[in-house]
Amino acid sequence: MNALGNKTCIITGGAGSLGLAAAKLFLAEGARVMLVDLNPDTLADAKAELGGGGNVDTCSADVSSETDVQRYVEATCTRFGNIDVLFSNAGNFGTVAPIEDYPTGIFDAVYAVHVRGAFLAAKHAVPHMNDGGSIVITSSVAGTRGDPGVYAYITAKHAQTGLMRCLAKELAPRRIRVNTIHPGPIDNAFQLSVEEGLAKEIGRDGTEFFNEIIPLGRHGSPDEIARSVLYLASDQSSFTTGAMLMVDGGMSA
């Protein structure tokens, strides 16, 4: 298959389970991929898992740092040429706490990665994007709901949708599509850490709690979410922009 043949793609949060699953699919579809993540060691492991090769490179960066964002965009263009796909996927969770106890520093840190990170990625990548490209931002089912105590993560995920809608309108004349993807709980280490924290708050197993409120009765896999990212990244979604793609097992229905 060749859905992304000779396309240059940036994936932030590229060493995590979803970023890595997307990278595998993108490469299989003919793309050139720049993986961006905070930790150079996990990036090296991710590159090794992908088999190395000339179509994948890495750049360690703090996505909330404008200097770092400029650096990974420049590194991508130098290595592979102008950008066709920006998958803004980096994320962190924060904590769960009553509003009066919620740490302001944690709120700021989560907002910086999800919202400032996605904003800076677009700000610096768009001038180097080919017309007809695609921007995909990883939001969450949390970006469609509110839950007690999840102040930073849920607020940030809602804000990403607003950013997406502004970008979709502005970039439509260049045929650059901009969409958010909204996974439900995924079977990965990130979600497990969320569920372990939640268990302390609700006094029961967090994984079981989520499975009970997901109509399909289970967590999604990184590969399942990545297939939906590929749809938004490729020309298969050529008439889709400004959209929220729910990949949540029916949780938001």
Side-chain angles (χ1 to χ4, degrees):
M1 299 179 70
N2 204 37
L4 295 175
N6 297 317
K7 303 287 189 182
T8 296
C9 307
I10 294 175
I11 301 177
T12 69
S17 66
L18 178 53
L20 190 55
K24 290 176 182 177
L25 272 182
F26 284 15
L27 289 167
E29 294 289 344
R32 300 180 294 260
V33 175
M34 176 65 77
L35 292 180
V36 178
D37 214 299
L38 187 61
N39 188 317
D41 292 333
T42 56
L43 275 175
D45 291 342
K47 184 175 181 179
E49 185 171 338
L50 293 172
N55 286 335
V56 60
D57 206 347
T58 65
C59 185
S60 60
D62 174 354
V63 298
S64 68
S65 162
E66 190 153 19
T67 300
D68 280 15
V69 173
Q70 290 173 305
R71 181 168 51 81
Y72 78 64
V73 169
E74 181 180 350
T76 302
C77 294
T78 299
R79 180 74 173 82
F80 296 126
N82 279 359
I83 300 158
D84 297 287
V85 176
L86 170 62
F87 180 28
S88 184
N89 172 63
N92 54 351
F93 180 71
T95 191
V96 179
I99 187 62
E100 65 270 22
D101 298 325
Y102 204 96
T104 302
I106 289 179
F107 184 94
D108 290 344
V110 172
Y111 204 85
V113 170
H114 290 272
V115 186
R116 178 180 168 89
F119 164 78
L120 289 174
K123 177 179 179 178
H124 292 287
V126 163
H128 302 282
M129 287 190 74
N130 292 316
D131 290 356
S134 174
I135 298 174
V136 183
I137 300 172
T138 300
S139 182
S140 167
V141 65
T144 67
R145 55 187 290 141
D147 290 295
V150 196
Y151 289 103
Y153 189 75
I154 286 180
T155 301
K157 289 307 188 184
H158 277 78
Q160 286 178 320
T161 301
L163 174 65
M164 173 272 287
R165 287 172 169 155
C166 292
L167 288 167
K169 291 286 184 68
E170 180 173 334
L171 300 179
R174 292 181 54 193
R175 296 179 291 104
I176 295 175
R177 295 165 290 105
V178 190
N179 299 284
T180 45
I181 189 163
H182 295 254
I186 304 174
D187 185 11
N188 62 10
F190 180 93
Q191 180 66 23
L192 180 59
S193 69
V194 171
E195 290 165 359
E196 288 173 345
L198 178 65
K200 297 174 184 177
E201 296 294 323
I202 65 176
R204 56 171 299 196
D205 185 276
T207 302
E208 290 180 359
F209 168 78
F210 276 113
N211 284 338
E212 287 174 7
I213 62 174
I214 300 169
L216 287 181
R218 64 175 178 84
H219 288 40
S221 73
D223 289 344
E224 286 176 308
I225 311 304
R227 288 195 291 271
S228 292
V229 176
L230 175 63
Y231 164 73
L232 292 176
S234 73
D235 289 343
Q236 296 174 34
S237 58
S238 58
F239 200 56
T240 302
T241 195
M244 300 166 56
L245 178 58
M246 307 306 302
V247 193
D248 62 356
M251 191 173 172
S252 59

